[in-house]
Amino acid sequence: MGSYYKHKKKETIDVSYSFRCEQCMKESGPQKAVISGMEAEINSNYKTLDDKKQSSLNEMAHANLVSAVKEAYSNAVEKHIFVKAFKDECPHCHKPQTWGLSGLKDDMFGTPIVCVILGIILGAGCYFFSGVENNLMIALAAAGICFVIGAGSLVLNILKLGNKKKQTAGVIQKNEPVIDWSSVQHILNER
């Protein structure tokens, strides 16, 4: 039997930003957000890739990075939603900022939805393909476990959001981070 190798590549880029703390009113100083694209993957029977496949892997990784940067840019500029890469903890007083709530709200349902979809797929797979007598019980158990994990993840996200809202409730002046998009302008200009 032959060997099977997964070749993976992930690209990241740093984006500089700063903010005035809404709690202690001090400037954060230069901060770096690391924006990363989804991991690109190519399967091969060989331990090393030929030039054509390596080039294809590099292109996929770069395309994923371009997509992530453009999404972060459009969310920040048009919708005032800041991805989690932009850390909102003040380096001086270590308190969160109100603009950090937008990233939590935006990402709140991601994991629970994946868990529900996975539960449906696992449940259907167990029901139709298990070939045992009590396949309905196995399917319900598999789906139920995924649903419970999804519900737990949603509750955890709600608790995190509530905690951060509570910590930022007394803020009088709401600020937003100043993001220097010039370091990624070449990526934003790509088609």
Side-chain angles (χ1 to χ4, degrees), residues 19-89:
F19 60 91
R20 176 182 289 272
C21 180
E22 300 165 334
Q23 312 272 351
C24 69
M25 296 301 172
K26 292 182 181 174
E27 290 292 329
S28 68
Q31 304 286 317
K32 286 208 185 279
V34 179
I35 298 178
S36 59
M38 287 177 42
E39 191 171 63
E41 182 179 306
I42 289 183
N43 300 320
S44 172
N45 292 333
Y46 303 103
K47 201 169 196 169
T48 58
L49 292 175
D50 60 26
D51 290 342
K52 184 179 176 185
K53 286 191 177 185
Q54 185 63 48
S55 175
S56 177
L57 181 65
N58 293 343
E59 287 173 13
M60 287 190 308
H62 186 71
N64 291 344
L65 176 64
V66 169
S67 175
V69 169
K70 286 184 177 184
E71 182 180 3
Y73 176 79
S74 69
N75 281 344
V77 172
E78 297 166 11
K79 304 175 192 169
H80 302 283
I81 296 173
F82 303 96
V83 295
K84 286 184 181 180
F86 295 102
K87 305 289 183 212
D88 68 328
E89 183 180 310

Side-chain angles (χ1 to χ4, degrees), residues 104 108-109 151-165:
L104 279 177
M108 190 159 79
F109 296 104
S153 174
L154 181 61
V155 167
L156 184 65
N157 289 343
I158 290 171
L159 289 175
K160 282 182 190 175
L161 184 64
N163 185 32
K164 194 172 267 199
K165 276 185 178 179

Side-chain angles (χ1 to χ4, degrees), residues 11 33 38 47 50 61 72 80 97 105-106 113 119 123 191:
E11 285 191 14
M38 287 177 42
K47 201 169 196 169
D50 60 26
H80 302 283
Q97 312 300 306
K105 287 179 186 175
D106 190 48
I113 288 173
R191 297 250 183 266

